Amino acid sequence: MTTIRSVVLGCGSYLPQQILTNAELAARVDTSDEWIVQRTGIRQRHIAADGEFTSHLAINAARAALADAGIDAQAIDLIVLATSTPDNTFPATAVAVQNGLGITHGAAFDLQAVCSGFVFALATADNFLRTGAFKRALVIGAETFSRILDWNDRGTCVLFGDGAGALVVEAQEQPGKLSDRGILTSHLRSDGRHKAKLYVDGGPSSTQQVGHLRMEGREVFKHAVGMITDVIVDAFKASGTTAEDIDWFIPHQANKRIIDASAHKLHIAPQKVVLTVDMHGNTSAASIPLAISVAVKDRRVKKGDLVLLEAMGGGFTWGSVLLRW
């Protein structure tokens, strides 16, 4: 029996030109390169220029993904943009991307699940494509987290960066087996009891101001490994796979220690883990598609590879996607 799968046709990414190193940060706040690298694995991050918005990053990543897929923007009928740093309170930044690409048909909307945003967006697009509502989607993660950081808070300002990544996915008929290309299973979770551990202290309804990111780092770390492994175990059960079957593990790039601990707990070999946190920092919803793009460009990820994605973000939200490239 055949089935409809959301198959990846291409990927793309965009990083702002400005790079902010740990040494440069150490000149601003009481920290050091050694301290940041030891605790997070981060060495540098990219920062959007003045006048460079989340939509600009997203448009550039989308164009790169379309070029990689070899299709015209007019073939896209759905855009799902994961972001916590939209250009405006409304309209959705996705419609700015749609307009920037010259698309006037189909639907475009934003999705907010913080660092889990790309996993949530990919799962959402997959459900739309499998029902036949749309044929081809641009799934984008784009952030300008530098705009919501308190640059005097050394516990958070060293962690985050700006960037965007995108996938082009298409509904295709597949044999209905584990060997199918495309998204095989996705698992999403949230638990609002943990809001105070990672949030932004502002918003249109509450303070009428943007606010700054606030985080209880130890609490986030404590919950992260357990939550991440929870949805990955669900993915293994749903697909009948194990850690040994995975070709590549591409997690949200928040902290190298969390990634290492998660991979160890799941018995995923270190050589299967894609790490970009050292180059990009935590780019929230953009981190997974940025990491995918790096691994595809350097030819680690190849057609037919089984790829496991996972993320955890404020809320808390967390989720996994298992797909065959």
Side-chain angles (χ1 to χ4, degrees):
M1 181 181 291
T2 61
T3 190
I4 300 297
R5 302 282 193 195
S6 300
V7 176
V8 178
L9 301 183
C11 65
S13 63
Y14 176 78
L15 290 161
Q17 188 173 2
Q18 181 187 350
I19 293 174
L20 180 62
T21 66
N22 289 348
E24 290 171 310
L25 267 176
R28 296 188 187 186
V29 293
D30 183 18
T31 189
S32 68
D33 175 67
E34 182 183 13
W35 188 91
I36 298 170
V37 172
Q38 183 182 28
R39 285 163 177 78
T40 70
I42 299 168
R43 297 184 181 276
Q44 63 176 43
R45 70 285 295 148
H46 292 252
I47 304 295
D50 290 342
E52 189 174 36
F53 303 157
T54 294
S55 62
H56 300 141
L57 275 57
I59 289 168
N60 282 316
R63 285 175 174 155
L66 289 166
D68 185 54
I71 67 169
D72 186 84
Q74 297 308 314
I76 299 295
D77 55 2
L78 175 65
I79 299 174
V80 185
L81 171 61
T83 188
S84 298
T85 50
D87 290 8
N88 303 99
T89 301
F90 74 82
T93 301
V95 299
V97 175
Q98 183 189 38
N99 183 52
L101 296 173
I103 303 170
T104 56
H105 60 273
F109 60 89
D110 289 357
L111 188 150
Q112 225 291 36
V114 201
C115 297
S116 304
F118 187 78
V119 167
F120 275 59
L122 194 56
T124 300
D126 175 47
N127 279 294
F128 274 120
L129 293 180
R130 286 191 293 108
T131 65
F134 299 96
K135 177 62 177 175
R136 292 183 196 88
L138 262 171
V139 184
I140 308 168
E143 303 282 15
T144 48
F145 254 56
S146 61
R147 307 271 158 81
I148 59 170
L149 296 178
D150 178 351
W151 288 97
N152 295 311
D153 179 5
R154 69 171 186 170
T156 58
C157 74
V158 303
L159 303 176
F160 296 90
D162 303 335
L167 295 184
V168 176
V169 291
E170 178 183 73
Q172 290 185 9
E173 196 171 88
Q174 295 285 313
K177 300 178 180 178
L178 181 59
S179 58
D180 287 357
R181 287 189 65 207
I183 294 173
L184 301 175
T185 187
S186 62
H187 300 269
L188 308 179
R189 302 278 188 278
S190 60
D191 187 344
R193 292 176 296 176
H194 302 287
K195 173 190 171 182
K197 297 179 178 67
L198 179 55
Y199 71 106
V200 169
D201 61 1
S205 180
S206 55
T207 67
Q208 299 82 56
Q209 296 176 343
V210 174
H212 293 108
L213 185 149
R214 305 300 179 193
M215 182 175 72
E216 298 176 15
R218 289 182 180 177
E219 286 295 306
V220 173
F221 188 98
K222 185 173 73 175
H223 285 84
V225 175
M227 289 177 169
I228 288 166
T229 53
D230 166 38
V231 287
I232 291 174
V233 168
D234 285 350
F236 289 156
K237 288 179 180 177
S239 60
T241 58
T242 67
E244 291 184 3
D245 298 314
I246 301 302
D247 292 302
W248 298 105
F249 178 43
I250 307 183
H252 167 51
Q253 306 288 314
N255 183 306
K256 186 177 184 296
R257 291 196 298 167
I258 293 175
I259 294 169
D260 288 346
S262 300
H264 178 75
K265 186 174 180 179
L266 290 159
H267 305 292
I268 297 175
Q271 62 268 26
K272 293 182 176 181
V273 181
V274 175
L275 281 168
T276 57
V277 67
D278 59 326
M279 301 183 293
H280 303 156
N282 183 344
T283 55
S284 189
S287 82
I288 288 177
L290 278 168
I292 290 172
S293 190
V294 167
V296 170
K297 284 179 181 176
D298 66 21
R299 304 195 177 190
R300 273 179 288 177
V301 173
K302 302 176 293 297
K303 185 176 178 180
D305 282 354
L306 193 60
V307 180
L308 177 63
L309 314 177
E310 67 76 15
M312 175 198 165
F316 286 144
T317 61
W318 64 105
S320 66
V321 170
L322 183 66
L323 64 91
R324 192 169 299 280
W325 198 256

